[in-house]
Every structure is written in structure tokens, then in C-alpha cells.
Amino acid sequence: MTNSEKSNHSVAQLVADHILSQRLSQQFFDKKSTRLRHSQEDALNAFETINQNGNAKKPQKLKRVELVFENAESIVLNPKFISRVILQHPFDRENDPFKLIGFFLIFKDTVATIGELHTYGGPDGLDRFKFYQDIVSINLAYKDGSFESYEIDWSPLAHQNETNNNQHTVVINGSTYLYALPQTHFKMTEVIKSALEADHFDQIVQEFSLTKQDYDVDEIRHVFQHQLSEMLKVSENFQQKNPTLRQFDLVVNQVDSDEDFQGNNWDPTLIDRQTHEIFGGVNLESYQNLMAMDVIIPDVDQFWQGFTWLLWEISWYGIDADERQEAIEQAHQELEESEAELQEFEKQTQQMKQFIDWYVTQHISDINLPDFVATYWPLTDGMKENLIDGDDQTEVTDLKQDPDLLADFMAKYGAEYQSFERKDNQ
């Protein structure tokens, strides 16, 4: 669909087509207005989003629109009373052209809209959409004899395949707005509660046990149950206080790995909400901070697999809230001490390099100068050590100067070096 075609289906065009009232439209575009109900505002925002990212079908070309529900019931809508049909496909549509991550239908809120009814008790007709959010597929039959069937992607937080959290229904100005808006951000509190549901919890346990096969399944279930309960407890206490605005969210991406790689290939990181910069250190965040963040797992088809390894990363310093927080504070202290040691090391080695450079300029004619530089230049860096792992050997640098060589240097050139330091610091 071209940009011009998309604009023809904007909220403003709904007014022109006498679907939405001018009054509600003005309230929607007036972002400071509080007279528009949240459900109405959400629906119109969703319409703008799905219209921008989706593909519109012309109702006048349709013969019938069938909506199939999770329990195999279905309702057929009469296209005569439908004003909008917009389908949103995944970005990689070529891999699955008949999958939808979102849709938007607008039709008259009248019994005449119902062409056929295949339900077996409970809410019938238009009430079926208002009481249950469980459409699994949309079938489109065209007047030219062609037919299309699309499967609806549900929210990964859907409760036991009963309710699609992405699906919503609201009536505005006599029209039903029926839509499914794909989510990319999930509040950690909602994810934790959903993770404790049996079908989602089983997926977490299964994912972990497939990679960590040396763990007993009952042990895995116990540990994850305890971790989720601890995080939820912190969340409940946190909600009783005034939450601070969080700078970061959690993003879990799947990364490429070698065929021989035996671990998991998920990378949990922190993402800055403003700059979108990526940072490590998920394991160093307190439960309270984590529970204020959103969870972003781009591959929603493997949401619970990715979330499994986010939990694993979070558990690095423990599971019990108090013990974990104590370990994190200790880790932060050790990191600060290491940073201070690194800064001091860099200061000392840089000072040594400057002294040697200065010494060379002061003794340029000394025939022993090359030996001096060769002997003491290693003091401008750390000590070299070889790490041996089986047949592999790797040279690493220890962040400290050779103590014996430094003692020798100070015995011979200490006074001159200290005099240079005093001048350099003035």
C-alpha cells in the first residue's frame, strides 16, 4: 500500500467516511483532552499503527469474512456492513505469508452485520467479540472466487490459549472496532505472573533442561518457582511505593552460534530508553529495578525460551531477594575497587612511559641508552603470563608492574624519577 493509500484510511478519513464523529476525532487529536475514554483512545491509536504497518483489503471486493475462534466456533460477517479490513503481516512475511501479527476490522454494531453464526451457546452475535478475545484465524472469500486464510499470532502471555492479550473490542459511534495490536514491550510484573501459569512455566523448564541436562527436572522446577515467587514478592512491595522512572529496559536477542556450541544462544542486555544504547550488567540489577523495566524479546514465537535465559542471567548472584541484593552490593564494591586499581595502574605505567621518554631526551648521547630502554620499558605495561588450557596457550597481561624490575629501577633511578614526578605534577 502506498503512503497516499494509507492516508485515506487514517483517523481523519474515518470522519470523512462518516464512521467516526468530528467531536471524537478532535478529542483524539487533542492530546491534552481527557474526555475520550481510554478504550476509545487505545483503539484509535491502534488503528493508526496497524494502518501504517498493515495492508488494507477493500470490503466491496469481499463476499464474506469469517472469523474463527479458539474453540472452533465461527462468525461470518457481511462485507456490506464492513468499512475497514486491515491485515498486519510479520516483517519476514515471505517465510509465512499467511500469518498475521495484527489486524483491524471496523463494522456496524448491528445484528445485520452477522451473516452466519456458528456458535454453541454463551454470548452470541456481536457480543461474542466483546466477551471473548480468542480469534485464531480470519478467512476472506472474494467475489472473484479467490480465497485467503490467515492465522493470528497470539500474545506470548496468552492464558492457556483462552484469551489473546493483543485482541480488543470497543464500540465507537455505532461501529465495532475489533483489532489485535502486536506487543513488543511487556511489563516485567505481567511476564512474571504469566510465567507462573502452568503452560508457560513448563516451557521454561523444558527449555532449560534441554541445555542444562545435568540438572534434575524437579530441581529446575523448584529453583525457577522460587525465583519467580521472589521477584513477584518484590514487585508487590514495590507497587506500594512511588516507583521512579527507569532509564533502562531489558532486551533478549537470539545470537548466532557455532554448530559445536553447547550453551544457550540468547543474550540478555539492558537498553537505554532514550538513546537505545545497549549495555551489559543485567545480573547486577536489583529485583526492584528489574521489576520496573519492560521486557523486549523480538522473537515472540520463542518468547519463553528467551525469557528462560533472562531468568538464568538474573540468577547469577542468587535467587533469594535479600541474599542476592547483598551479593550484588558486594560485587559493586569489588568492581569499584577493581576500577580504582586499574586507574592507578594506568597512572603508574603512563608516568613510567613519560619518564623514559624524558630520560631519553636528557641522555641522548649515552651509549647505554638502548639497554636502559630495553630493560625498563616493560614497566610501562603489566606482567605477561601464559594461561594454559589443555593444548591451548594464551598470553595475558596482569595489571601490575614487575615488582623485582620496579625495585631495581627505583634503586638506580628512584631519586631522578621522583624529581620528575614532582615537576610533572606541578
Side-chain angles (χ1 to χ4, degrees):
M1 180 185 294
T2 65
N3 288 333
S4 61
E5 287 174 319
K6 286 180 182 293
S7 65
N8 289 335
H9 294 275
S10 67
V11 168
Q13 187 63 34
L14 294 180
V15 177
D17 292 345
H18 307 290
I19 300 170
L20 183 69
S21 71
Q22 183 69 41
R23 179 180 60 83
L24 285 180
S25 173
Q26 290 175 345
Q27 291 177 10
F28 172 71
F29 287 113
D30 180 8
K31 298 305 180 183
K32 295 181 180 179
S33 173
T34 58
R35 287 176 288 179
L36 199 66
R37 295 206 310 269
H38 287 305
S39 60
Q40 294 175 330
E41 184 177 6
D42 290 345
L44 294 176
N45 279 321
F47 177 77
E48 295 268 273
T49 299
I50 296 176
N51 170 68
Q52 182 64 33
N53 299 316
N55 296 302
K57 303 290 185 178
K58 294 182 178 181
Q60 60 268 32
K61 291 187 176 182
L62 294 168
K63 183 178 180 180
R64 54 186 274 147
V65 175
E66 182 182 25
L67 306 177
V68 182
F69 305 104
E70 189 273 334
N71 64 350
E73 294 180 347
S74 68
I75 289 179
V76 176
L77 303 180
N78 185 343
K80 177 181 178 181
F81 299 95
I82 300 175
S83 55
R84 294 292 186 274
V85 178
I86 306 174
L87 308 180
Q88 183 176 350
H89 299 271
F91 291 113
D92 56 345
R93 179 180 179 179
E94 63 277 2
N95 294 333
D96 196 345
F98 297 106
K99 175 190 284 189
L100 299 179
I101 59 173
F103 67 86
F104 210 110
L105 302 178
I106 303 179
F107 47 84
K108 286 292 184 181
D109 189 48
T110 173
V111 292
T113 301
I114 305 299
E116 298 176 24
L117 194 60
H118 304 286
T119 55
Y120 315 113
D124 275 340
L126 297 174
D127 286 342
R128 183 65 172 77
F129 307 117
K130 301 168 187 175
F131 284 90
Y132 298 100
Q133 292 73 50
D134 62 346
I135 297 174
V136 295
S137 63
I138 296 177
N139 301 326
L140 304 179
Y142 292 84
K143 293 178 180 177
D144 64 4
S146 59
F147 179 83
E148 296 169 351
S149 181
Y150 297 98
E151 178 184 349
I152 310 299
D153 237 7
W154 279 31
S155 165
L157 272 56
H159 174 63
Q160 296 181 349
N161 293 325
E162 293 178 358
T163 301
N164 180 7
N165 303 47
N166 294 345
Q167 185 183 321
H168 308 275
T169 306
V170 61
V171 177
I172 306 177
N173 293 147
S175 290
T176 296
Y177 289 56
L178 174 63
Y179 66 96
L181 180 68
Q183 286 183 272
T184 56
H185 293 57
F186 301 88
K187 294 185 181 301
M188 176 64 93
T189 303
E190 295 175 358
V191 177
I192 294 295
K193 291 178 179 178
S194 185
L196 286 166
E197 295 177 5
D199 52 337
H200 299 152
F201 188 75
D202 288 344
Q203 291 182 58
I204 293 172
V205 173
Q206 181 182 30
E207 168 67 17
F208 190 84
S209 62
L210 287 173
T211 301
K212 303 289 185 179
Q213 298 182 6
D214 52 334
Y215 285 78
D216 179 73
V217 174
D218 289 338
E219 179 186 3
I220 295 172
R221 298 186 70 88
H222 172 74
V223 170
F224 277 121
Q225 182 78 34
H226 181 52
Q227 181 182 14
L228 293 168
S229 298
E230 284 288 292
M231 295 178 72
L232 190 59
K233 181 173 64 177
V234 170
S235 172
E236 292 169 348
N237 294 334
F238 175 72
Q239 289 175 352
Q240 296 174 2
K241 304 176 182 178
N242 294 323
T244 56
L245 292 176
R246 287 296 304 150
Q247 180 181 358
F248 298 103
D249 285 324
L250 294 157
V251 60
V252 188
N253 282 305
Q254 199 166 14
V255 296
D256 295 331
S257 58
D258 298 332
E259 292 182 2
D260 296 332
F261 182 66
Q262 297 297 317
N264 77 83
N265 61 336
W266 294 89
D267 182 28
T269 55
L270 298 166
I271 183 170
D272 189 293
R273 287 180 174 176
Q274 300 299 322
T275 67
H276 303 294
E277 291 182 89
I278 299 294
F279 301 91
V282 170
N283 55 350
L284 288 168
E285 292 288 338
S286 68
Y287 276 164
Q288 181 168 318
N289 285 349
L290 291 167
M291 297 308 295
M293 298 182 189
D294 284 351
V295 178
I296 307 166
I297 302 179
D299 188 355
V300 293
D301 287 339
Q302 298 190 69
F303 183 89
W304 293 111
Q305 287 81 357
F307 189 70
T308 299
W309 301 110
L310 174 59
L311 291 176
W312 175 247
E313 182 75 11
I314 290 171
S315 71
W316 184 269
Y317 287 103
I319 292 176
D320 181 80
D322 294 334
E323 293 179 3
R324 179 178 181 273
Q325 188 58 34
E326 184 178 339
I328 287 176
E329 291 172 0
Q330 178 65 30
H332 276 297
Q333 182 178 342
E334 292 174 357
L335 285 173
E336 291 174 0
E337 293 173 354
S338 297
E339 181 65 25
E341 291 176 3
L342 175 60
Q343 292 178 358
E344 182 63 24
F345 168 78
E346 291 176 342
K347 177 183 176 182
Q348 292 173 351
T349 53
Q350 183 64 21
Q351 187 78 21
M352 182 62 69
K353 183 179 184 300
Q354 293 173 353
F355 173 79
I356 293 176
D357 290 343
W358 172 84
Y359 187 91
V360 168
T361 63
Q362 299 300 311
H363 303 82
I364 196 67
S365 59
D366 188 342
I367 60 173
N368 295 319
L369 192 59
D371 291 337
F372 168 82
V373 173
T375 300
Y376 297 112
W377 189 257
L379 291 175
T380 66
D381 199 359
M383 298 175 61
K384 306 297 182 183
E385 297 181 2
N386 289 321
L387 291 182
I388 300 175
D389 183 12
D391 296 332
D392 297 328
Q393 183 170 301
T394 305
E395 186 180 73
V396 297
T397 301
D398 191 1
L399 297 183
K400 68 177 182 179
Q401 295 167 299
D402 185 327
D404 295 334
L405 183 60
L406 183 60
D408 177 69
F409 169 84
M410 295 303 293
K412 296 176 181 177
Y413 303 96
E416 202 167 359
Y417 178 73
Q418 291 171 1
S419 175
F420 172 79
E421 271 191 312
R422 286 194 296 270
K423 290 179 181 179
D424 189 56
N425 292 329
Q426 289 179 352

